[in-house]
Amino acid sequence: MDEPRIIVALDFDRASHALDLAAKLDPSLCRLKVGKELFTTAGPQLVETFMRSGFDVFLDLKFHDIPNTVSKACRAVSSMGVWMTNVHALGGKKMLQAARDALPISGNTKLIAVTLLTSMDHEDLRDIGLQGEPEQIVERLAKLTKNCRLDGIVCSALEATNLRNKIGNDFCLVTPGIRPADDGNTDDQKRVTTPFQAINNGADYLVIGRPITQAKDPLFALQQINQEITQASQEK
Ligand code: C5P
């Protein structure tokens, strides 16, 4: 099996639930994403536990602050040795460069950026004074992220084709909003993509939460989605 392309989003409010789920999964089939809620309640210790069990961890804390503060936060992440972490591209060039300096390309931690939050619509963008269509802003922030030598971005799989064309292959696209074709439930996600389509559109890693975490058999759900990914990769 190739390297795991699925990152399971552990959106739980307590460590025990996240540990129960992880115990059902296999580190050769997926990576794990720990976000603000779980990290705030369970801390670095839980991340270390996952890593000791063989899982790569994406620490999804989306840092956004002055360059000095983000640099120090990234240095703290660096000492944890996680596989991937992220910052907000809206923090600007100096902040992105400070984050990259603290987590150098030669290190073990991939550093990616969030461009625009997908929860923001036209009105939200206007409220904060951002001009232009969301797609244009995403593209501009993606290019800024690449110029600051970060490893990639989080984006919708629906934007992946265009971004891949504009930014090239040497840039990691991490895409949430994934729902298997036979999953009638999109939960609160508005613009969803199947795993097959996401890979076809050029995504490198798929962030998937509820289709796996809420499945009756999470390992089986993971295996099914991996099969779809393998098929899409072979047909590409
Ligand atoms: O359960 P579901 O598959 O919808 O979970 C998706 C995960 O990806 C969640 O952790 C969510 O916060 C995250 N995410 C997202 N959309 C973004 C960025 C992150 O759904 N634009």
Side-chain angles (χ1 to χ4, degrees), residues 2-234:
D2 299 333
E3 62 146 354
R5 309 276 290 267
I6 297 177
I7 304 171
V8 179
L10 297 177
D11 294 321
F12 294 109
D13 61 2
R14 67 195 74 173
S16 58
H17 292 174
L19 286 164
D20 285 350
L21 194 270
K24 295 178 184 148
L25 302 176
D26 176 343
S28 72
L29 300 181
C30 67
R31 296 175 154 111
L32 304 178
K33 178 170 92 70
V34 175
K36 288 188 172 98
E37 182 186 22
L38 188 57
F39 191 73
T40 303
T41 53
Q45 236 185 340
L46 181 66
V47 172
E48 279 160 28
T49 304
F50 291 141
M51 287 168 56
R52 267 202 308 273
S53 310
F55 287 101
D56 282 342
V57 174
F58 170 16
L59 190 59
D60 178 20
L61 298 181
K62 300 189 183 73
F63 294 135
H64 188 175
D65 211 313
I66 59 170
N68 182 54
T69 303
V70 168
S71 167
K72 287 180 174 161
C74 285
R75 238 173 270 161
V77 169
S78 167
S79 69
M80 291 170 69
V82 295
W83 168 71
M84 179 181 271
T85 194
N86 59 0
V87 294
H88 270 283
L90 280 169
K93 189 173 175 180
K94 291 193 191 74
M95 193 210 78
L96 291 170
Q97 287 170 337
R100 180 77 285 179
D101 289 346
L103 285 167
I105 295 176
S106 56
N108 295 325
T109 305
K110 285 185 198 295
L111 176 63
I112 63 169
V114 175
T115 54
L116 269 191
L117 291 172
T118 45
S119 53
M120 298 194 81
D121 60 18
H122 278 99
E123 206 182 321
D124 294 315
L125 296 177
R126 205 193 53 214
D127 286 346
I128 60 166
L130 272 183
Q131 311 264 334
E133 292 300 312
E135 301 74 34
Q136 295 169 329
I137 301 171
V138 166
E139 198 179 307
R140 208 169 58 229
L141 290 169
K143 285 180 178 160
L144 175 68
T145 301
K146 175 115 196 254
N147 289 339
C148 293
R149 304 178 66 221
L150 269 66
D151 299 297
I153 51 166
V154 181
C155 66
S156 155
L158 297 167
E159 297 161 351
T161 313
N162 176 47
L163 290 169
R164 187 57 83 209
N165 288 337
K166 297 269 167 58
I167 296 179
N169 286 332
D170 184 22
F171 197 61
C172 177
L173 301 181
V174 177
T175 65
I178 306 291
R179 288 294 176 274
D182 59 1
D183 190 335
N185 187 4
T186 58
D187 301 301
D188 53 353
Q189 296 282 10
K190 300 241 161 48
R191 297 161 73 224
V192 300
T193 316
T194 64
F196 189 95
Q197 194 61 51
I199 296 293
N200 225 18
N201 290 0
D204 294 294
Y205 301 105
L206 315 188
V207 174
I208 307 179
R210 288 159 290 183
I212 294 172
T213 60
Q214 306 302 313
K216 272 201 199 96
D217 183 345
L219 182 62
F220 182 70
L222 176 61
Q223 287 164 333
Q224 295 286 106
I225 300 172
N226 265 328
Q227 265 181 26
E228 199 176 320
I229 291 174
T230 304
Q231 198 191 341
S233 310
Q234 284 165 353

